[in-house]
């Protein structure tokens, strides 16, 4: 099956794909297709946000944005998998990987859908702080969509007794918080993604402060608060 055909099937009938993953069928092809499609869509969005600093930043961001999502996935997934093994789950690592890649694909499609809006503001505004904040909101919105999908999917494939499911649900919520925290801090570590205009190209910047302090500072700049 063509990679994009599988993605369209997923978008049209998510329940059928989750059922296929639950049954452990075609996992390798599902994982490969979702990863390829996610990287392409994330790469396109990365190129748009990197265009503030020229061609080199566009190319770097087109690579670093997919890397951010895939690295976050592989950093956090073992924690979820081994907890579920200890809790008695019979699901395989490949099944959880396929579900998390499906959630990543949902985020990537959302970002691809926002791409024309982002490109419009990129071409019509020179306000770097506003462009940064706008994209942080868009990335957060797409992340919420993906996290909600993954949460519902894991609950759907959980066939343990009801009492155990309640415990697993609480742990899953903690893991999702960890996933968001790791992703945001990893994004800060891999910056720049935008690249300040009229600044020399940098592949990476010196590690300092953290993502949340930067967001607060950015809000203060937009509101004119020093």
């Amino acid at each position: 099956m063509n990679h994009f055909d599988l993605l369209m099937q997923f978008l049209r009938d998510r329940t059928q794909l989750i059922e296929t993953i639950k049954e452990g069928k075609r996992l390798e092809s599902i994982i490969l297709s979702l990863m390829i499609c996610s990287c392409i869509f994330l790469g396109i969005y990365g190129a748009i946000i990197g265009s503030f600093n020229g061609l080199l930043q566009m190319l770097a961001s087109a690579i670093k944005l997919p890397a951010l999502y895939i690295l976050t996935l592989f950093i956090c997934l073992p924690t979820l998998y081994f907890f579920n093994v200890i809790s008695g789950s019979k699901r395989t690592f490949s099944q959880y990987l396929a579900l998390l890649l499906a959630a990543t694909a949902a985020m990537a499609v959302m970002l691809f859908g926002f791409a024309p809006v982002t490109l419009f503001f990129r071409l019509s505004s020179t306000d770097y702080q506003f462009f940064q904040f706008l994209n942080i909101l868009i990335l957060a919105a797409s992340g919420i969509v993906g996290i909600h999908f993954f949460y519902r999917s894991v609950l759907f494939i959980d066939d343990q007794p009801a009492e155990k499911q309640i415990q697993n649900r609480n742990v899953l919520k903690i893991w999702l918080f960890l996933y968001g925290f790791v992703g945001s801090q990893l994004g800060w570590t891999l910056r720049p993604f935008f690249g300040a205009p009229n600044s020399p190209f940098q592949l990476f910047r010196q590690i300092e402060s953290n993502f949340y302090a930067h967001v607060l500072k950015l809000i203060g700049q937009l509101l004119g608060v020093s």
Side-chain angles (χ1 to χ4, degrees), residues 44-76:
I44 292 171
Y45 196 83
I48 294 174
I49 64 176
S51 62
F52 240 106
N53 192 254
L55 181 59
L56 286 177
Q57 188 62 58
M58 285 180 64
L59 294 174
S61 296
I63 295 171
K64 289 200 292 183
L65 192 63
L68 166 62
Y69 282 81
I70 300 303
L71 285 173
T72 302
L73 183 156
F74 282 109
I75 290 171
C76 296

Tab-separated table of all heavy atoms in Angstrom, residues 44-76:
chain	number	residue	atom	x	y	z
A	44	ILE	N	8.002	20.040	5.840
A	44	ILE	CA	7.443	21.190	5.118
A	44	ILE	C	7.149	22.326	6.085
A	44	ILE	O	7.493	23.496	5.818
A	44	ILE	CB	6.166	20.773	4.363
A	44	ILE	CG1	6.520	19.814	3.221
A	44	ILE	CG2	5.432	21.998	3.816
A	44	ILE	CD1	5.314	19.180	2.553
A	45	TYR	N	6.540	21.991	7.207
A	45	TYR	CA	6.229	23.042	8.188
A	45	TYR	C	7.513	23.630	8.771
A	45	TYR	O	7.613	24.842	8.987
A	45	TYR	CB	5.354	22.478	9.301
A	45	TYR	CG	4.682	23.567	10.115
A	45	TYR	CD1	3.506	24.157	9.666
A	45	TYR	CD2	5.230	24.015	11.321
A	45	TYR	CE1	2.895	25.160	10.390
A	45	TYR	CE2	4.629	25.011	12.040
A	45	TYR	CZ	3.459	25.586	11.573
A	45	TYR	OH	2.853	26.586	12.284
A	46	GLY	N	8.493	22.786	9.014
A	46	GLY	CA	9.769	23.272	9.533
A	46	GLY	C	10.439	24.242	8.581
A	46	GLY	O	11.024	25.250	8.999
A	47	ALA	N	10.352	23.957	7.278
A	47	ALA	CA	10.950	24.854	6.284
A	47	ALA	C	10.276	26.224	6.310
A	47	ALA	O	10.938	27.258	6.168
A	47	ALA	CB	10.835	24.238	4.894
A	48	ILE	N	8.956	26.244	6.521
A	48	ILE	CA	8.229	27.520	6.556
A	48	ILE	C	8.657	28.360	7.752
A	48	ILE	O	8.955	29.558	7.610
A	48	ILE	CB	6.708	27.275	6.583
A	48	ILE	CG1	6.254	26.645	5.272
A	48	ILE	CG2	5.960	28.592	6.832
A	48	ILE	CD1	4.795	26.225	5.269
A	49	ILE	N	8.723	27.754	8.933
A	49	ILE	CA	9.077	28.551	10.109
A	49	ILE	C	10.554	28.943	10.099
A	49	ILE	O	10.940	29.943	10.715
A	49	ILE	CB	8.726	27.811	11.424
A	49	ILE	CG1	9.529	26.522	11.584
A	49	ILE	CG2	7.237	27.544	11.509
A	49	ILE	CD1	9.293	25.813	12.908
A	50	GLY	N	11.385	28.180	9.391
A	50	GLY	CA	12.803	28.516	9.318
A	50	GLY	C	13.132	29.565	8.283
A	50	GLY	O	14.270	30.045	8.220
A	51	SER	N	12.130	29.937	7.467
A	51	SER	CA	12.387	30.873	6.364
A	51	SER	C	12.686	32.289	6.841
A	51	SER	O	13.095	33.132	6.036
A	51	SER	CB	11.185	30.895	5.406
A	51	SER	OG	10.015	31.359	6.064
A	52	PHE	N	12.470	32.571	8.134
A	52	PHE	CA	12.780	33.894	8.673
A	52	PHE	C	14.275	34.202	8.576
A	52	PHE	O	14.679	35.362	8.574
A	52	PHE	CB	12.331	33.975	10.141
A	52	PHE	CG	11.317	35.056	10.397
A	52	PHE	CD1	9.990	34.751	10.625
A	52	PHE	CD2	11.685	36.397	10.404
A	52	PHE	CE1	9.057	35.743	10.853
A	52	PHE	CE2	10.766	37.396	10.634
A	52	PHE	CZ	9.443	37.067	10.857
A	53	ASN	N	15.112	33.151	8.498
A	53	ASN	CA	16.561	33.364	8.546
A	53	ASN	C	17.279	32.871	7.293
A	53	ASN	O	18.475	32.661	7.308
A	53	ASN	CB	17.140	32.670	9.789
A	53	ASN	CG	18.569	33.070	10.076
A	53	ASN	OD1	19.489	32.299	9.838
A	53	ASN	ND2	18.765	34.277	10.585
A	54	GLY	N	16.538	32.652	6.203
A	54	GLY	CA	17.185	32.291	4.958
A	54	GLY	C	17.193	30.804	4.663
A	54	GLY	O	16.646	29.980	5.398
A	55	LEU	N	17.855	30.454	3.571
A	55	LEU	CA	17.821	29.096	3.035
A	55	LEU	C	18.429	28.063	3.972
A	55	LEU	O	17.880	26.971	4.159
A	55	LEU	CB	18.547	29.055	1.686
A	55	LEU	CG	18.590	27.700	0.975
A	55	LEU	CD1	17.181	27.195	0.705
A	55	LEU	CD2	19.400	27.783	-0.309
A	56	LEU	N	19.576	28.379	4.583
A	56	LEU	CA	20.224	27.409	5.478
A	56	LEU	C	19.331	27.064	6.664
A	56	LEU	O	19.233	25.895	7.067
A	56	LEU	CB	21.571	27.950	5.960
A	56	LEU	CG	22.708	27.950	4.940
A	56	LEU	CD1	23.961	28.575	5.540
A	56	LEU	CD2	23.004	26.528	4.458
A	57	GLN	N	18.676	28.075	7.243
A	57	GLN	CA	17.785	27.818	8.372
A	57	GLN	C	16.560	27.032	7.922
A	57	GLN	O	16.050	26.182	8.665
A	57	GLN	CB	17.359	29.131	9.030
A	57	GLN	CG	16.574	28.942	10.328
A	57	GLN	CD	17.398	28.240	11.390
A	57	GLN	OE1	18.467	28.712	11.759
A	57	GLN	NE2	16.912	27.106	11.881
A	58	MET	N	16.072	27.317	6.719
A	58	MET	CA	14.949	26.544	6.188
A	58	MET	C	15.301	25.060	6.109
A	58	MET	O	14.531	24.199	6.546
A	58	MET	CB	14.566	27.055	4.792
A	58	MET	CG	13.825	28.367	4.763
A	58	MET	SD	13.429	28.873	3.061
A	58	MET	CE	12.322	27.551	2.551
A	59	LEU	N	16.476	24.761	5.557
A	59	LEU	CA	16.901	23.368	5.423
A	59	LEU	C	17.102	22.721	6.793
A	59	LEU	O	16.708	21.569	7.019
A	59	LEU	CB	18.188	23.294	4.604
A	59	LEU	CG	18.073	23.708	3.133
A	59	LEU	CD1	19.454	23.743	2.467
A	59	LEU	CD2	17.150	22.770	2.374
A	60	ALA	N	17.740	23.468	7.706
A	60	ALA	CA	17.990	22.925	9.045
A	60	ALA	C	16.683	22.642	9.777
A	60	ALA	O	16.513	21.580	10.390
A	60	ALA	CB	18.848	23.906	9.845
A	61	SER	N	15.732	23.574	9.711
A	61	SER	CA	14.456	23.399	10.408
A	61	SER	C	13.618	22.297	9.777
A	61	SER	O	12.862	21.603	10.470
A	61	SER	CB	13.675	24.715	10.407
A	61	SER	OG	14.372	25.711	11.131
A	62	ALA	N	13.759	22.121	8.453
A	62	ALA	CA	13.037	21.043	7.776
A	62	ALA	C	13.516	19.674	8.244
A	62	ALA	O	12.780	18.690	8.170
A	62	ALA	CB	13.210	21.167	6.261
A	63	ILE	N	14.734	19.602	8.727
A	63	ILE	CA	15.279	18.354	9.272
A	63	ILE	C	15.035	18.264	10.778
A	63	ILE	O	14.662	17.213	11.305
A	63	ILE	CB	16.792	18.249	8.973
A	63	ILE	CG1	17.021	18.154	7.463
A	63	ILE	CG2	17.407	17.047	9.688
A	63	ILE	CD1	18.480	18.255	7.052
A	64	LYS	N	15.211	19.381	11.471
A	64	LYS	CA	15.153	19.349	12.936
A	64	LYS	C	13.734	19.178	13.481
A	64	LYS	O	13.556	18.555	14.537
A	64	LYS	CB	15.790	20.618	13.513
A	64	LYS	CG	17.299	20.656	13.362
A	64	LYS	CD	17.947	21.642	14.330
A	64	LYS	CE	17.609	23.075	13.995
A	64	LYS	NZ	18.289	24.026	14.901
A	65	LEU	N	12.716	19.710	12.778
A	65	LEU	CA	11.356	19.553	13.311
A	65	LEU	C	10.901	18.094	13.294
A	65	LEU	O	10.403	17.600	14.323
A	65	LEU	CB	10.375	20.448	12.547
A	65	LEU	CG	8.994	20.575	13.205
A	65	LEU	CD1	9.105	21.248	14.574
A	65	LEU	CD2	8.025	21.353	12.315
A	66	PRO	N	11.074	17.353	12.182
A	66	PRO	CA	10.768	15.910	12.253
A	66	PRO	C	11.627	15.184	13.287
A	66	PRO	O	11.131	14.299	13.998
A	66	PRO	CB	11.084	15.415	10.833
A	66	PRO	CG	10.981	16.611	9.966
A	66	PRO	CD	11.446	17.759	10.817
A	67	ALA	N	12.913	15.565	13.392
A	67	ALA	CA	13.799	14.931	14.374
A	67	ALA	C	13.293	15.150	15.789
A	67	ALA	O	13.368	14.247	16.638
A	67	ALA	CB	15.219	15.476	14.228
A	68	LEU	N	12.756	16.341	16.064
A	68	LEU	CA	12.224	16.647	17.390
A	68	LEU	C	11.115	15.672	17.769
A	68	LEU	O	11.123	15.089	18.869
A	68	LEU	CB	11.695	18.085	17.408
A	68	LEU	CG	10.806	18.484	18.594
A	68	LEU	CD1	11.581	18.376	19.903
A	68	LEU	CD2	10.254	19.884	18.391
A	69	TYR	N	10.164	15.455	16.869
A	69	TYR	CA	9.029	14.578	17.175
A	69	TYR	C	9.455	13.117	17.281
A	69	TYR	O	8.988	12.390	18.174
A	69	TYR	CB	7.949	14.741	16.100
A	69	TYR	CG	7.122	15.988	16.271
A	69	TYR	CD1	7.582	17.220	15.834
A	69	TYR	CD2	5.863	15.937	16.877
A	69	TYR	CE1	6.827	18.371	15.987
A	69	TYR	CE2	5.097	17.079	17.037
A	69	TYR	CZ	5.585	18.300	16.588
A	69	TYR	OH	4.823	19.437	16.761
A	70	ILE	N	10.328	12.683	16.389
A	70	ILE	CA	10.752	11.281	16.409
A	70	ILE	C	11.627	10.986	17.629
A	70	ILE	O	11.480	9.941	18.281
A	70	ILE	CB	11.499	10.923	15.107
A	70	ILE	CG1	10.584	11.129	13.886
A	70	ILE	CG2	11.986	9.481	15.161
A	70	ILE	CD1	9.301	10.339	13.928
A	71	LEU	N	12.536	11.912	17.971
A	71	LEU	CA	13.380	11.721	19.147
A	71	LEU	C	12.554	11.706	20.427
A	71	LEU	O	12.793	10.891	21.331
A	71	LEU	CB	14.444	12.820	19.219
A	71	LEU	CG	15.619	12.700	18.245
A	71	LEU	CD1	16.502	13.939	18.314
A	71	LEU	CD2	16.444	11.448	18.549
A	72	THR	N	11.588	12.610	20.524
A	72	THR	CA	10.711	12.636	21.704
A	72	THR	C	9.986	11.307	21.845
A	72	THR	O	9.854	10.763	22.954
A	72	THR	CB	9.690	13.779	21.590
A	72	THR	OG1	10.376	15.027	21.445
A	72	THR	CG2	8.804	13.841	22.833
A	73	LEU	N	9.528	10.780	20.726
A	73	LEU	CA	8.835	9.489	20.728
A	73	LEU	C	9.730	8.387	21.292
A	73	LEU	O	9.327	7.655	22.204
A	73	LEU	CB	8.406	9.178	19.292
A	73	LEU	CG	7.598	7.913	19.000
A	73	LEU	CD1	6.798	8.103	17.713
A	73	LEU	CD2	8.494	6.682	18.841
A	74	PHE	N	10.961	8.289	20.785
A	74	PHE	CA	11.836	7.193	21.201
A	74	PHE	C	12.405	7.406	22.608
A	74	PHE	O	12.804	6.430	23.257
A	74	PHE	CB	12.954	7.007	20.186
A	74	PHE	CG	12.518	6.276	18.948
A	74	PHE	CD1	12.386	6.936	17.743
A	74	PHE	CD2	12.205	4.926	19.000
A	74	PHE	CE1	11.970	6.268	16.602
A	74	PHE	CE2	11.787	4.242	17.870
A	74	PHE	CZ	11.666	4.914	16.666
A	75	ILE	N	12.465	8.631	23.077
A	75	ILE	CA	12.904	8.878	24.451
A	75	ILE	C	11.838	8.438	25.449
A	75	ILE	O	12.143	7.834	26.489
A	75	ILE	CB	13.248	10.368	24.654
A	75	ILE	CG1	14.533	10.735	23.900
A	75	ILE	CG2	13.410	10.701	26.146
A	75	ILE	CD1	14.827	12.219	23.873
A	76	CYS	N	10.567	8.711	25.123
A	76	CYS	CA	9.491	8.497	26.091
A	76	CYS	C	8.800	7.145	25.975
A	76	CYS	O	8.241	6.649	26.954
A	76	CYS	CB	8.441	9.605	25.944
A	76	CYS	SG	9.044	11.255	26.346
